[in-house]
Amino acid sequence: MTLAVPDVLPRIIVELRDDAAVAALVGQRVRGVEPAPGDAAWEQFDDGRRKYAHNFVIVTRLDSPRHRSLPVQTVTLGVACYGVDRRKAAELRWACSNALHRAGPRTHANGLGIYQTLEEGGGEQDTDPDTGQPLERFVVQAIATTQVVA
C-alpha cells in the first residue's frame, strides 16, 4: 500500500495567512501557485490614473526531494510578495520572512511535522512581467517529515 507524503505547501500557506503581520497586509490573499481572480486587480480613478488594488502572496514549491535514508523531505519554496507599490512589496516580503524564518518545530493536524523553515535567499526587487505590479521574491527551505507524526 502506497501512502502519500504529507504536502508542505498548504501548511506554509496557512501559516502565512495566520500570521498577524502578514494578514494585516494581505488579509487572506496568500495563494499557492497562482493568484485568485481579483488578486491582481486595479483601482481606476476618474482622471484615468490607476493603481494596484491589493497586496498578495504566491507560494510555489520549487523542489522537494526526500532524504535517501531518513523519513524527511527538504522542500524548497518560492515566495512572491506583490505590493500595491514597491514599499508595500518590501514590507510584505519582510513580514512573510519573519513569519517563516527559524519558526522551529511544529506539527499539523494532517500529521505533517515541520522541523524548521529557513530563508535561503532572495529579497530582490522585481516587477511582474504580465501586470507590471511590484514584487519581491525570496526562497524558503522547509525540513519536514515524509511520514505522519503524532
Side-chain angles (χ1 to χ4, degrees), residues 126-145:
D126 203 355
T127 302
D128 184 276
D130 296 323
T131 66
Q133 188 163 358
L135 74 132
E136 292 202 9
R137 300 177 195 267
F138 68 100
V139 176
V140 171
Q141 188 174 76
I143 303 164
T145 61

Side-chain angles (χ1 to χ4, degrees), residues 14-120:
V14 169
E15 288 182 13
L16 287 171
R17 284 181 183 162
D18 288 348
D19 182 81
V22 174
L25 292 166
V26 299
Q28 292 294 300
R29 287 184 300 277
V30 180
R31 317 287 187 205
V33 184
E34 62 188 17
D39 283 349
W42 296 91
E43 288 182 15
Q44 191 77 36
F45 297 99
D46 291 337
D47 63 1
R49 290 179 305 119
R50 63 183 188 172
K51 73 170 197 159
Y52 300 101
H54 306 292
N55 300 312
F56 63 95
V57 177
I58 304 298
V59 185
T60 56
R61 184 174 42 257
L62 304 174
D63 195 21
S64 58
R66 289 195 252 193
H67 190 278
R68 292 180 183 175
S69 304
L70 301 172
V72 296
Q73 56 184 316
T74 305
V75 181
T76 305
L77 302 163
V79 182
C81 302
Y82 290 78
V84 296
D85 56 34
R86 295 221 175 270
R87 186 175 68 65
K88 285 295 183 187
E91 189 178 339
L92 182 55
R93 175 257 201 261
W94 283 111
C96 290
S97 174
N98 290 340
L100 296 175
H101 184 64
R102 299 183 56 86
R106 62 251 192 222
T107 56
H108 297 280
N110 68 345
L112 174 68
I114 299 177
Y115 296 109
Q116 187 62 276
T117 48
L118 301 166
E119 182 175 337
E120 291 292 317

